Amino acid sequence: MATTLSTIERLERAADSGNGVRFVGHSVASDGPLFVPWRQIHDEARAVGAALQAKGLLPGDHVALLGPTSRQLITIVRGCWLAGVASMVLPLPMRMGSLEEFVDATRGRIRHGDAKLVLIDDQLAEFYAPAPGDPPIERMGGILPGAPHVPAGDRLETPPPDRERLVILQYTSGSTSEPKGVMIPDRVLTANIDACCQAAELSTGEVMVSWLPLYHDMGLVGFLAIPMTTGVQLVQAAPQDFMAKPGNWMQWISDWGGTATAGPNFAWVLATRALARPADSGPRLDLSTLTLALNGAEPVDPTAVEAFVAAAEPFGFPPGGVFPAFGMAETAIGAAFPVRGTGMVCDTVDRELLERIGVAKPVDVSDPDELDLSARRLPLLGTAVAGMEMRVVDRVTREDLPERHVGELLLRGTSVTPGYYKREAATAALFHDGWLCTGDLAYLLDGQLVLCGRIKDVIIVGGRNVFPEDIERAVGGL
């Protein structure tokens, strides 16, 4: 039986791929695009790992990281993993006016996660003052090569493989009053990386483009851990450079021949608007290389997807490149992927039957106005990735439901988290007979996943289950 390489072994192997990271956008490359080979990042990360060990950190310890997307953050994440130390990349403040709330939430995550050290970016250091009970807090630059007392990378003592040792402790931006850290041990991370690469048919010639925040699983696992452990090319930007000018995203793909990228549904809406304004998107865009445009992390709106395709096709984008998928932090990142090159396929069902009795009866509606009133279009999100199983069950009896019957989506397999860190009750509630309860309403169609919405978000109106995203889209069209 073949032995699965550990995360550390993958990082060592990928360092000599000949590829690297191209930093783009003003926030991460103020002097213009900067290419750094994986080998250089790896050598610098070894020094970071040695510095962590010199401070007394041991394999299995946790380090909290607080800072925006940057070369130093990426280097430190890799250094943590090389030393066998779990990274806790913490959410950043959404608004400067909510700093007190941000500091309280951050301190709660740091303490709950048993961080032995907090590394903070210079930009945020003045906002987070140490308090009694905090672990040591240091500037990120203080453990990078060239800083005083940072040992050479060859001083790193590579820890022995441990499949159960945490690589990532993932706190979500919403986990505040009772923070929940998703535990991602080595066995889960490596299994999901392999499964995602296989399902997405990622090749060694891939050019992955990302502006996604590294405190989110899609950014940290999907578009950092995967290229970092496989050695493919990465074009890395910062979220703020995308938000300031969404057309930048498409320009980066065009400039550097991006083949794979990802974003939540709202990001594709912003990109569509930018493509409609040549001054924002650039007159010489070439999107012909983009064959995997993943839409996930929030409900996929078919109308928004079709609008993007219509706006991007004149720039060479292949419609089959659309890639609606499903994943969650509790599976590292990916749970269900479609076949690459298929594009978006939708199931059009009777809206009233779906909302009243949870049956997805297919209907054929040609009138667009009638479609919104009497039917609902739902994208097929593909089949379970390798090593994973999916079931849809009755929410009360937990019995399996036939295809086209809506129930709760359950998952089981090699990519599933063992639970939430130090949250026994929450972990117990997360599982039922060994299956992860996602909290999503869904049905299966020919083995493919179709999501309807979150159970906790359903609004019952006149005996019908109404989903917030449908209300948002209806209001958005006014």
Side-chain angles (χ1 to χ4, degrees), residues 283-324:
R284 296 181 299 278
L285 282 182
D286 178 4
L287 302 180
S288 62
T289 59
L290 183 59
T291 57
L292 194 156
L294 191 150
N295 187 322
E298 63 182 38
V300 178
D301 178 7
T303 302
V305 172
E306 290 168 346
F308 172 77
V309 171
E313 264 194 293
F315 300 99
F317 174 70
V322 169
F323 197 87

Side-chain angles (χ1 to χ4, degrees), residues 379-465:
L380 276 63
L381 304 180
T383 57
V385 299
M388 294 287 284
E389 301 173 79
M390 298 189 299
R391 294 168 61 203
V392 172
V393 302
D394 183 279
R395 291 163 57 190
V396 177
T397 67
R398 295 297 181 182
E399 294 181 354
D400 287 333
L401 294 175
E403 287 200 339
R404 291 194 172 278
H405 284 67
V406 177
E408 183 174 7
L409 173 67
L410 306 187
L411 300 172
R412 182 173 70 180
T414 54
S415 293
V416 172
T417 176
Y420 299 119
Y421 185 70
K422 295 194 325 186
R423 296 293 184 197
E424 294 183 4
T427 296
L430 183 63
F431 292 96
H432 177 79
D433 290 342
W435 289 81
L436 185 150
C437 305
T438 65
D440 289 301
L441 286 175
Y443 63 90
L444 298 177
L445 177 59
D446 297 328
Q448 293 205 64
L449 174 65
V450 184
L451 281 186
C452 300
R454 296 285 294 167
I455 292 174
K456 65 181 180 66
D457 294 337
V458 170
I459 304 167
I460 301 176
V461 180
R464 297 173 67 161
N465 291 328

Side-chain angles (χ1 to χ4, degrees), residues 349-395:
V349 301
D350 185 289
R351 179 180 291 274
E352 184 169 359
L353 290 178
L354 185 74
E355 294 175 349
R356 286 195 182 278
I357 63 174
V359 174
K361 179 184 177 182
V363 293
D364 184 9
V365 181
S366 56
D367 184 349
D369 294 331
E370 180 65 21
L371 178 65
D372 291 337
L373 292 173
S374 64
R376 191 172 177 204
R377 285 197 305 157
L378 299 166
L380 276 63
L381 304 180
T383 57
V385 299
M388 294 287 284
E389 301 173 79
M390 298 189 299
R391 294 168 61 203
V392 172
V393 302
D394 183 279
R395 291 163 57 190

Side-chain angles (χ1 to χ4, degrees), residues 60-316:
D61 285 343
H62 309 160
V63 169
L65 306 176
L66 186 62
T69 299
S70 65
R71 175 179 172 179
Q72 69 176 10
L73 177 59
I74 287 174
T75 303
I76 292 170
V77 167
R78 190 178 186 121
C80 287
W81 295 352
L82 287 170
V85 172
S87 65
M88 298 165 50
V89 184
L90 300 177
L92 299 178
M94 301 302 293
R95 300 175 305 278
M96 297 307 288
S98 59
L99 278 177
E100 185 176 344
E101 180 182 333
F102 157 72
V103 169
D104 289 344
T106 299
R107 180 162 283 118
R109 296 179 184 113
I110 289 170
R111 294 183 177 182
H112 176 264
D114 292 325
K116 295 294 178 65
L117 175 67
V118 179
L119 295 174
I120 190 167
D121 185 89
D122 287 349
Q123 298 178 49
L124 294 171
E126 63 180 282
F127 300 113
Y128 190 89
D134 280 349
I137 300 174
E138 297 188 20
R139 302 288 180 103
M140 285 184 173
I143 64 163
L144 292 169
H149 312 300
V150 171
D154 58 10
R155 299 290 299 275
L156 174 69
E157 297 181 13
T158 302
D162 182 348
R163 304 289 287 156
E164 298 301 325
R165 186 171 60 226
L166 295 190
V167 181
I168 296 169
L169 188 54
Q170 178 74 50
Y171 284 91
T172 63
S173 57
S175 51
T176 51
S177 59
E178 186 175 297
K180 288 192 294 187
V182 180
M183 297 186 290
I184 305 297
D186 185 83
R187 62 174 174 82
V188 169
L189 180 62
T190 55
N192 199 238
I193 286 173
D194 288 343
C196 289
C197 288
Q198 177 183 330
E201 302 176 33
L202 294 181
S203 69
T204 55
E206 217 73 56
V207 179
M208 302 179 72
V209 180
S210 178
W211 52 266
L212 299 166
L214 296 179
Y215 56 79
H216 190 281
D217 50 285
M218 187 186 285
L220 181 62
V221 178
F223 279 78
L224 183 61
I226 286 180
M228 191 179 272
T229 57
T230 60
V232 302
Q233 201 89 324
L234 173 64
V235 177
Q236 181 69 62
Q240 59 269 33
D241 288 334
F242 162 72
M243 293 301 296
K245 186 178 179 183
N248 283 338
W249 185 15
M250 300 296 107
Q251 192 67 56
W252 296 323
I253 293 168
S254 176
D255 288 347
W256 308 110
T259 62
T261 194
N265 194 81
F266 86 86
W268 294 105
V269 172
L270 295 179
T272 301
R273 294 173 184 168
L275 288 171
R277 300 188 295 266
D280 289 352
S281 59
R284 296 181 299 278
L285 282 182
D286 178 4
L287 302 180
S288 62
T289 59
L290 183 59
T291 57
L292 194 156
L294 191 150
N295 187 322
E298 63 182 38
V300 178
D301 178 7
T303 302
V305 172
E306 290 168 346
F308 172 77
V309 171
E313 264 194 293
F315 300 99

